[in-house]
Amino acid sequence: MNKTILFILLFGLITTSCVPIYEKNDSNHLLEANDVYSVIWNVTDISTENLLAGAPGRIIVVGNKNGSPLPSIFGLESATGEIIWQIDGESAGGALVEDDGVLYRGRSGFAEVIAYDTETGLLLWRTLLPAGHSVANIVVMADTVFAYTNNNLFFVLDKQGEILQVDYTTNISFFEMNGIVYDQNGLVFEAVDIASEQVVWQLELEGMISDSPIVENDKIFFNTDRIPNNIYSLNSSTGEVIWKVSQRTTSNILMLNDKIIFISNEDGGYLVTIDMSTGDEIARARFLPGFDTYENTYGYSIAGDAQNNIVAIAFGDNTQLMGLKVETP
């Protein structure tokens, strides 16, 4: 057997996935009165694993209901918070992304990508990623699914689950587009020509990229993990910084129509909205009571149903999911 392949197999077997565990409190949060969002539902018995996704008519959650020892995937009706479908027997951690009515779930442990119909929860396909260990991020673009595992394997699949390509890489690879691979090399975000292996452009960052970058037309959006966190908008072809804003983010960033929405851990916690084109702040609303995100920054996540202008929030300090209607779409 090839020594490189043997090393990858052994490394995949011995690598373990660690998910932080925090004690949840019993206090539910409110959102102060504002002109942008109104609270339309609360679900208070699902402890999330920091995995949340939005789809037309659905909010998808990976978590534990009523203290169950094993996680499940829940498909909630976005307008009411009612559980429409449930898939048991899930692993903690991993990655979650929705595209065109399909939920792509990257599992931790022995890496696997699984596709579900977001409306019904019906399993569409599942593909084991050979020698992979724990899917760290997933990006879906056009007809392609990109999955990177925490033992440095980068998989390219089609939307039917067939593996088209697999590479071992020392960088964190996110996606490929127009013959260019986009990855993070230390504190440098870079675009590398696949054929020539030459760097097209590089951008030095202040920290690691949190979650997976969001690609919208010719722009890339992402958030870095060092405080103060920086949210970037880049030109994908040139690496030019279109805008950059510093915020104390404690969640992923959500792109909802022409807005970017996230949770800030400043002064007890805010829901913050910025303009996708300019980075200018549009609105912020305080959570009541506040939460100590300086002590616990894990588990706060946000997702949206853009079709119905609904945002869902999972809090890291309790078992609450909050549904919000965007009043000024």
Side-chain angles (χ1 to χ4, degrees), residues 40-41 59 78-79 256 303-306 308-312 323-326:
I40 56 175
W41 53 261
I59 298 296
S78 61
L256 192 79
D305 169 6
N308 295 294
N309 293 304
I310 292 173
V311 172
L324 306 169
K325 181 71 173 180
V326 184

Side-chain angles (χ1 to χ4, degrees), residues 231-252:
I231 304 174
Y232 284 85
S233 172
L234 301 184
N235 181 296
S236 62
S237 299
T238 65
E240 175 192 0
V241 177
I242 301 170
W243 54 257
K244 167 187 168 183
V245 296
S246 294
Q247 294 273 356
R248 295 188 68 97
T249 58
T250 192
S251 72
N252 59 302

Side-chain angles (χ1 to χ4, degrees), residues 3 22 54 102 125-126 140 181 196 211 228 267 293 325:
K3 290 183 179 180
Y22 297 95
V102 177
W125 52 262
R126 61 192 311 151
V140 180
V181 62
S196 67
D211 305 298
D267 296 332
T293 52
K325 181 71 173 180

Side-chain angles (χ1 to χ4, degrees), residues 71-110:
S72 300
I73 303 179
F74 301 94
L76 279 59
E77 183 176 4
S78 61
T80 65
E82 177 186 357
I83 296 175
I84 305 300
W85 52 260
Q86 179 175 337
I87 302 167
D88 297 322
E90 279 296 307
S91 63
L96 198 69
V97 66
E98 183 274 344
D99 182 75
D100 197 25
V102 177
L103 178 74
Y104 297 90
R105 169 80 163 110
R107 285 173 60 102
S108 59
F110 286 95

Side-chain angles (χ1 to χ4, degrees), residues 215-276:
V215 184
E216 181 73 12
N217 298 323
D218 61 344
K219 298 181 179 62
I220 303 172
F221 301 87
F222 60 86
N223 183 35
T224 58
D225 65 355
R226 290 189 181 174
I227 297 174
N229 314 86
N230 290 308
I231 304 174
Y232 284 85
S233 172
L234 301 184
N235 181 296
S236 62
S237 299
T238 65
E240 175 192 0
V241 177
I242 301 170
W243 54 257
K244 167 187 168 183
V245 296
S246 294
Q247 294 273 356
R248 295 188 68 97
T249 58
T250 192
S251 72
N252 59 302
I253 59 173
L254 165 67
M255 182 176 294
L256 192 79
N257 300 319
D258 59 349
K259 301 176 179 65
I260 292 178
I261 309 167
F262 55 91
I263 299 173
S264 165
N265 64 8
E266 184 179 0
D267 296 332
Y270 286 88
L271 183 65
V272 180
T273 307
I274 62 177
D275 185 278
M276 187 181 76

Side-chain angles (χ1 to χ4, degrees), residues 186-209:
L187 294 181
V188 175
F189 186 42
E190 62 182 14
V192 180
D193 183 88
I194 297 172
S196 67
E197 299 184 349
Q198 297 298 307
V199 174
V200 178
W201 56 256
Q202 290 184 321
L203 176 67
E204 188 168 348
L205 305 177
E206 305 78 14
M208 301 300 291
I209 294 175

Side-chain angles (χ1 to χ4, degrees), residues 12-318:
L13 287 172
I14 63 175
T15 305
T16 57
S17 175
C18 298
V19 177
I21 298 175
Y22 297 95
E23 182 178 353
K24 305 283 188 175
N25 66 47
D26 297 325
S27 300
N28 290 326
H29 299 288
L30 304 173
L31 189 68
E32 69 177 357
N34 65 92
D35 297 328
V36 180
Y37 301 100
S38 60
V39 178
I40 56 175
W41 53 261
N42 279 285
V43 173
T44 59
D45 58 357
I46 299 178
S47 179
T48 73
E49 297 292 346
N50 203 27
L51 291 173
L52 205 62
R58 294 287 182 269
I59 298 296
I60 317 297
V61 183
V62 180
N64 303 67
K65 183 175 174 62
N66 293 323
S68 171
L70 296 176
S72 300
I73 303 179
F74 301 94
L76 279 59
E77 183 176 4
S78 61
T80 65
E82 177 186 357
I83 296 175
I84 305 300
W85 52 260
Q86 179 175 337
I87 302 167
D88 297 322
E90 279 296 307
S91 63
L96 198 69
V97 66
E98 183 274 344
D99 182 75
D100 197 25
V102 177
L103 178 74
Y104 297 90
R105 169 80 163 110
R107 285 173 60 102
S108 59
F110 286 95
E112 203 176 16
V113 176
I114 312 171
Y116 299 98
D117 182 280
T118 59
E119 183 176 355
T120 63
L122 178 69
L123 174 67
L124 300 177
W125 52 262
R126 61 192 311 151
T127 299
L128 182 68
L129 305 183
H133 190 283
S134 297
V135 177
N137 60 64
I138 293 180
V139 175
V140 180
M141 296 177 57
D143 297 323
T144 311
V145 180
F146 302 98
Y148 174 80
T149 67
N150 68 4
N151 61 331
N152 304 106
L153 294 179
F154 182 54
F155 291 84
V156 181
L157 302 85
D158 64 21
K159 283 193 169 180
Q160 288 69 51
E162 180 182 352
I163 296 175
L164 306 177
Q165 171 189 328
V166 57
D167 295 304
Y168 178 76
T169 173
T170 56
N171 300 335
I172 300 173
S173 297
F174 295 110
F175 60 91
E176 296 176 0
M177 184 169 59
N178 300 325
I180 305 294
V181 62
Y182 295 80
D183 62 40
Q184 183 160 11
N185 181 1
L187 294 181
V188 175
F189 186 42
E190 62 182 14
V192 180
D193 183 88
I194 297 172
S196 67
E197 299 184 349
Q198 297 298 307
V199 174
V200 178
W201 56 256
Q202 290 184 321
L203 176 67
E204 188 168 348
L205 305 177
E206 305 78 14
M208 301 300 291
I209 294 175
S210 300
D211 305 298
S212 300
I214 300 169
V215 184
E216 181 73 12
N217 298 323
D218 61 344
K219 298 181 179 62
I220 303 172
F221 301 87
F222 60 86
N223 183 35
T224 58
D225 65 355
R226 290 189 181 174
I227 297 174
N229 314 86
N230 290 308
I231 304 174
Y232 284 85
S233 172
L234 301 184
N235 181 296
S236 62
S237 299
T238 65
E240 175 192 0
V241 177
I242 301 170
W243 54 257
K244 167 187 168 183
V245 296
S246 294
Q247 294 273 356
R248 295 188 68 97
T249 58
T250 192
S251 72
N252 59 302
I253 59 173
L254 165 67
M255 182 176 294
L256 192 79
N257 300 319
D258 59 349
K259 301 176 179 65
I260 292 178
I261 309 167
F262 55 91
I263 299 173
S264 165
N265 64 8
E266 184 179 0
D267 296 332
Y270 286 88
L271 183 65
V272 180
T273 307
I274 62 177
D275 185 278
M276 187 181 76
S277 298
T278 64
D280 294 336
E281 186 169 309
I282 298 172
R284 66 170 50 211
R286 184 190 296 270
F287 291 105
L288 303 171
F291 36 84
D292 188 358
T293 52
Y294 290 90
E295 179 178 338
N296 173 15
T297 60
Y298 182 82
Y300 296 86
S301 52
I302 185 168
D305 169 6
Q307 179 175 288
N308 295 294
N309 293 304
I310 292 173
V311 172
I313 296 169
F315 296 92
D317 61 340
N318 63 16

